[in-house]
Amino acid sequence: MSNESLANLMTESRRFAPPAEVVAGANVTAAAYDAAAEDRLGFWAEQAQRLSWAQEPTETLDWSNPPFAKWFADGKLNVAYNCVDRHVEAGNGDRVAIHFEGEPGDSRAITYAELQREVSQAANALIELGVATGDRVAIYMPMIPEAVVAMLACARIGAPHSVVFGAFSADALATRIEDGDARVVITSDGGYRRGAPSALKPTVDEALTRPGAAKVRSVVVVRRTGQDIPWTEGRDLWWHEVVGRQSEEHTPEAFDAEHPLYILYTSGTTGKPKGILHTTGGYLTQTAYTHHAVFDLKPETDVYWCTADIGWVTGHSYIVYGPLANGATEVLYEGTPNTPHNGRWWEIVEKYGVTILYTAPTAIRTCMKWGDDIPARFDLSSLRVLGSVGEPINPEAWVWYRKHIGGERTPVVDTWWQTETGAMMISPLPGVTLAKPGSAQTPLPGISATVVDDDGNEVANGFGGYLTLTEPWPSMLRTIWGDDQRFLDTYWSRFEGKYFAGDGAKKDDDGDIWLLGRVDDVMLVSGHNISTTEVESALVSHPRIAEAAVVGATDPQTTQAICAFVILRGGAPQEEGLIEELRAHVSKELGPIAKPKRILAVDELPKTRSGKIMRRLLRDVAENRELGDVTTLTDPAVMDLIQTKLPSAASED
């Protein structure tokens, strides 16, 4: 795509001013950018005062051995105390911390006082099981309150947790247990998924047969579904027994600000997963601040809901640590958005009066596919801020989200960040930013990010390149667990003195940033770099298309050929001539070079439970290769359905 085409696309983008009532009461104003620009470290030192410190830090940043950062290193604090106890001590013990909604319809409201008691009991149970400060604990659970309690209990005693997504295979779980050398696993008999119990404990049992995971001495099991499960006497313990018998009193210990808080493994498609290490003081400072600033949180009145899973970093930072550090009331939902009906999410918004909703573009596009009439059946008037996370959001989904979910009145904050960054880095601010659909826009106050060319030079407005971070930030990863060299090679070797995020980006004429997805999702077609995201956005802008995924397949003539997989709106049958119409539409929107060589209409796309489209599997299909690992998919059978359509898939010049 030429820079001229990009400029035309961005120029046509609509702008949305922040609502007057949000501006009037905004937590953060434009002055924050000026303050951070004038004294970046002073700005972050001020944000650290949002936390309760047992020992106040006197040094903000130690960057004497880059890129190994130390933030607030001489300070001491306890993360669980900051997320729970201090709110009780402030007189907010009766405030609901978590509204839990189970997929079958069961619900539970947990106050901060109740959360404090349960976290204390769980911390005491871990101590009884021999878990000491610095020991690692693996957590493999569904989206139930005990998952949050387990994470906070680990933080309370200084035992770094390693949360493993509750749909990963036994091999994936075993690999993560082995790499982190976890000796205790916390799991559940199962959880509810798509209307039925889904077992988890058997996967743990299988994982622990692997030699690398054989050191695990205890498995604590939450009874959620009541399924019959295998049991190993002397190793397996029921949560309600071992936790339930503990004292409700536990005094949290203060730890150094650089004490490890958790390891979270990136779900790489090849090679050993990377264990991203996050520490305590800087991480909590930035997650708390960004949750406060980007969502304009008013903890006394807001009901916040992030639809992510705790197995991903979004769940860590914006379900557990950021919201609870801020004393928020939040919703925790166990199931899927279409169980038992396609309006389940909106039913939950109406039930709890949700005011802030944070979800993924993939989920938004799925709701678009189901039809505008679904959310229209529910009262969504409580919503006042909407957010997106996980991948670049196409402008059509952004506008639909604001119109049909936000009632054409809510700000939409499109956030860019990563497992590695720990917290939000680029996002509009709801009371400040003139929003552009599809653009994450501006680095947050205190964050230094820019787009550079192949030589590491900052590009001019209107041009694209690689997204880099040029100054350290509080919630940054400290290393890859057990592999400092891989940390250096992976993130700091491409551009000297800069963290390379692995994402492509472009700046518009105003200097606002538009994310283009992973660099490996940038296709090289006849010498032109074309972003899969841009082609997907063009396809979704067609009135017949609900969702699209684009990959580049090896092509002897053009280096790569653009292959698209599309879902039609409303499940309508494919009409004759539609494929050519779509190809012509993309050509008109982006230019002839971006016209897909092949388009295949499918019923579903391969996705993980976090909503990520597994493009590598689509690339396997496009290149007629044997499929790679499908164990992380929500529904592995989707790939079979896609392959059955291959004979009629091609539409080529």
Side-chain angles (χ1 to χ4, degrees):
M1 181 179 184
S2 68
N3 288 310
E4 182 180 358
S5 299
L6 173 73
N8 291 338
L9 174 66
M10 294 178 174
T11 301
E12 294 168 2
S13 232
R14 297 171 61 190
R15 270 67 162 179
F16 293 85
E21 61 272 18
V22 176
V23 174
N27 288 348
V28 179
T29 67
Y33 293 101
D34 297 331
E38 183 176 337
D39 182 2
R40 187 175 61 87
L41 295 184
F43 172 83
W44 284 119
E46 181 181 350
Q47 302 317 315
Q49 295 307 303
R50 305 182 60 78
L51 308 181
S52 295
W53 295 83
Q55 179 176 307
E56 293 282 343
T58 62
E59 182 181 26
T60 301
L61 171 64
D62 178 352
W63 194 235
S64 59
N65 183 30
F68 298 95
K70 295 179 181 179
W71 283 86
F72 315 114
D74 60 345
K76 293 181 181 291
L77 75 168
N78 185 283
V79 168
Y81 175 85
N82 273 274
C83 291
V84 183
D85 303 62
R86 66 173 178 153
H87 305 312
V88 178
E89 293 173 5
N92 295 317
D94 291 337
R95 179 184 296 168
V96 172
I98 297 171
H99 286 294
F100 171 66
E101 182 78 12
E103 193 184 77
D106 57 318
S107 59
R108 178 185 172 199
I110 304 168
T111 66
Y112 274 95
E114 291 169 335
L115 187 60
Q116 181 188 39
R117 292 193 289 270
E118 293 189 29
V119 171
S120 295
Q121 287 183 296
N124 287 327
L126 290 173
I127 292 170
E128 179 186 307
L129 295 176
V131 178
T133 298
D135 290 347
R136 274 77 63 198
V137 175
I139 299 173
Y140 183 75
M141 297 183 75
M143 287 289 289
I144 56 177
E146 289 84 355
V148 177
V149 170
M151 294 169 70
L152 291 170
C154 290
R156 196 174 187 88
I157 66 172
H161 57 68
S162 171
V163 179
V164 181
F165 178 49
F168 273 175
S169 67
D171 282 336
L173 176 58
T175 299
R176 288 155 174 78
I177 291 172
E178 178 183 8
D179 190 69
D181 193 23
R183 303 304 174 89
V184 172
V185 177
I186 303 175
T187 188
S188 171
D189 54 359
Y192 289 97
R193 198 76 182 167
R194 301 192 183 282
S198 175
L200 290 180
K201 175 62 161 53
T203 303
V204 175
D205 292 330
E206 183 181 348
L208 298 188
T209 66
R210 309 297 199 265
K215 294 180 181 179
V216 170
R217 60 177 181 259
S218 300
V219 177
V220 181
V221 186
V222 176
R223 180 180 285 159
R224 169 60 179 151
T225 64
Q227 296 167 271
D228 290 332
I229 55 173
W231 200 260
T232 301
E233 292 296 336
R235 185 198 70 184
D236 297 348
L237 304 139
W238 285 113
W239 171 284
H240 61 271
E241 293 178 354
V242 68
V243 174
R245 66 171 176 251
Q246 303 297 325
S247 167
E248 295 179 352
E249 301 292 329
H250 178 271
T251 302
E253 177 185 348
F255 299 102
D256 292 343
E258 283 299 320
H259 185 79
L261 177 61
Y262 66 82
I263 307 165
L264 184 58
Y265 290 86
T266 57
S267 52
T269 58
T270 59
K272 179 182 176 182
K274 302 188 296 289
I276 303 304
L277 176 65
H278 283 292
T279 56
T280 301
Y283 172 81
L284 196 62
T285 293
Q286 191 169 334
T287 53
Y289 172 71
T290 52
H291 184 262
H292 162 84
V294 173
F295 296 122
D296 195 42
L297 178 79
K298 319 293 185 188
E300 299 82 6
T301 55
D302 276 323
V303 177
Y304 165 81
W305 183 17
C306 171
T307 67
D309 191 287
I310 61 158
W312 309 111
V313 72
T314 304
H316 284 55
S317 298
Y318 296 107
I319 291 178
V320 181
Y321 294 115
L324 296 179
N326 288 333
T329 295
E330 63 179 328
V331 171
L332 185 73
Y333 176 50
E334 178 184 32
T336 59
N338 60 340
T339 304
H341 55 80
N342 289 354
R344 184 64 188 278
W345 274 10
W346 319 126
E347 183 179 65
I348 292 171
V349 169
E350 180 179 272
K351 176 178 179 179
Y352 293 106
V354 172
T355 59
I356 303 167
L357 179 66
Y358 193 34
T359 193
T362 295
I364 297 166
R365 290 190 292 267
T366 297
C367 293
M368 290 174 64
K369 177 184 70 175
W370 291 338
D372 304 346
D373 60 311
I374 303 295
R377 299 171 192 168
F378 300 91
D379 181 1
L380 307 182
S381 61
S382 60
L383 289 166
R384 68 178 193 88
V385 177
L386 300 175
S388 70
V389 61
E391 59 183 305
I393 185 171
N394 54 295
E396 291 73 25
W398 194 105
V399 171
W400 185 92
Y401 191 29
R402 181 181 181 273
K403 178 179 180 181
H404 293 281
I405 308 305
E408 294 193 290
R409 68 186 183 282
T410 59
V412 176
V413 288
D414 173 26
T415 64
W416 176 85
W417 57 294
Q418 302 174 307
T419 301
E420 292 87 344
T421 71
M424 298 173 188
M425 304 294 284
I426 303 174
S427 174
L429 288 178
V432 177
T433 311
L434 186 66
K436 297 177 182 177
S439 173
Q441 296 193 259
T442 308
L444 290 167
I447 301 301
S448 300
T450 192
V451 182
V452 302
D453 61 19
D454 287 316
D455 297 320
N457 300 313
E458 184 172 3
V459 303
N461 291 352
F463 289 81
Y466 306 95
L467 181 64
T468 61
L469 304 172
T470 59
E471 297 286 353
W473 62 100
S475 65
M476 64 192 294
L477 78 164
R478 296 308 192 255
T479 190
I480 292 173
W481 180 259
D483 199 341
D484 286 350
Q485 189 59 50
R486 190 179 183 191
F487 168 65
L488 294 170
D489 294 343
T490 302
Y491 301 109
W492 300 94
S493 62
R494 178 67 174 84
F495 301 108
E496 185 177 357
K498 297 181 178 67
Y499 169 91
F500 174 41
D503 284 346
K506 293 184 178 180
K507 296 199 299 187
D508 65 18
D509 290 340
D510 300 322
D512 285 337
I513 294 173
W514 296 67
L515 273 300
L516 302 177
R518 301 294 297 173
V519 168
D520 56 9
D521 285 335
V522 174
M523 302 168 290
L524 183 63
V525 181
S526 299
H528 297 265
N529 287 321
I530 301 173
S531 165
T532 58
T533 301
E534 291 173 325
V535 181
E536 288 167 359
S537 291
L539 285 163
V540 174
S541 70
H542 189 281
R544 292 294 312 282
I545 302 303
E547 192 165 8
V550 169
V551 297
T554 301
D555 186 277
Q557 292 182 314
T558 61
T559 306
Q560 285 186 302
I562 300 174
C563 299
F565 300 79
V566 299
I567 297 176
L568 305 182
R569 280 185 180 268
Q574 180 179 326
E575 299 172 357
E576 184 177 355
L578 177 61
I579 298 301
E580 282 305 318
E581 182 181 331
L582 292 173
R583 297 178 73 235
H585 177 73
V586 174
S587 179
K588 179 182 177 183
E589 291 288 308
L590 301 179
I593 191 65
K595 182 167 61 175
K597 189 172 185 179
R598 301 176 67 191
I599 299 178
L600 176 63
V602 297
D603 296 326
E604 293 292 344
L605 293 169
K607 298 173 185 175
T608 66
R609 274 180 53 184
S610 70
K612 293 275 189 180
I613 297 172
M614 296 291 282
R615 288 175 177 81
R616 66 173 173 82
L617 294 176
L618 296 176
R619 197 173 293 114
D620 290 342
V621 170
E623 296 186 343
N624 296 313
R625 290 197 305 261
E626 181 179 348
L627 291 181
D629 180 22
V630 299
T631 58
T632 61
L633 294 181
T634 300
D635 181 8
V638 166
M639 295 310 300
D640 294 331
L641 294 174
I642 290 175
Q643 288 182 309
T644 61
K645 292 197 172 187
L646 280 178
S648 59
S651 177
E652 306 182 8
D653 285 330

